[in-house]
Amino acid sequence: MPFVRVGYMEQQYTEQELPGISRCIMNALIEHFQVPSKDYFQVFHAHKQSEFYYSPDYLNVPRTDKLLYIQITMGSGRTTEQKKGFYQRLAELISIECKIRPEDVFVTLVETELEDWSFGNGLAQMVL
């Protein structure tokens, strides 16, 4: 049940590139977290340069204006090893398939519980 938000600086990616990024994220979710393929909810946000800030070298990771902020809200319960594998695979997929530097793939996971989700109709489908 992941919900994915991707932020990037406008004019760094084209409308043709975003579906590839989306597919890479979904494929990594399926591979590492066994997310069903139909559990597909993502939104992309382009930000003006004046709204987009980052450290170009925090933790010795050299970043560029092609930086992708990927925030994934999902149910809790994944192990540290699963998460580390996910980060590695996602950066690898995006690098290979989308030609984006792994250094520009910034990921945060936000864990929630089953009762924190409604997929429509005013119901908490995961706890019925």
Side-chain angles (χ1 to χ4, degrees):
M1 63 183 142
F3 177 63
V4 179
R5 289 185 177 277
V6 180
Y8 59 96
M9 192 182 306
E10 67 182 3
Q11 298 181 357
Q12 293 299 316
Y13 295 100
T14 66
E15 288 183 22
Q16 293 75 29
E17 291 172 300
L18 298 180
I21 296 167
S22 174
R23 279 191 305 276
C24 289
I25 295 168
M26 193 62 193
N27 288 340
L29 286 167
I30 291 168
E31 183 178 332
H32 279 274
F33 298 150
Q34 294 72 51
V35 170
S37 61
K38 288 189 176 187
D39 193 352
Y40 182 55
F41 300 94
Q42 300 182 4
V43 62
F44 284 70
H45 304 274
H47 298 274
K48 296 176 187 171
Q49 186 173 10
S50 64
E51 301 171 337
F52 196 87
Y53 299 93
Y54 64 91
S55 170
D57 59 3
Y58 182 67
L59 297 177
N60 297 315
V61 178
R63 295 172 192 84
T64 71
D65 285 349
K66 301 284 280 184
L67 180 65
L68 291 171
Y69 284 125
I70 302 170
Q71 181 182 36
I72 302 170
T73 304
M74 62 183 197
S76 63
R78 276 63 175 213
T79 67
T80 298
E81 289 308 310
Q82 281 179 299
K83 292 174 185 179
K84 288 169 64 176
F86 172 76
Y87 300 142
Q88 182 65 44
R89 182 64 174 151
L90 178 56
E92 180 180 272
L93 285 173
I94 288 177
S95 175
I96 292 167
E97 296 184 24
C98 303
K99 308 300 184 226
I100 297 168
R101 302 167 60 250
E103 296 90 343
D104 286 327
V105 180
F106 183 107
V107 182
T108 62
L109 300 177
V110 179
E111 295 185 310
T112 63
E113 300 306 320
L114 295 176
E115 64 268 15
D116 297 323
W117 295 81
S118 173
F119 291 87
N121 292 327
L123 301 174
Q125 288 88 347
M126 304 304 287
V127 293
L128 292 177

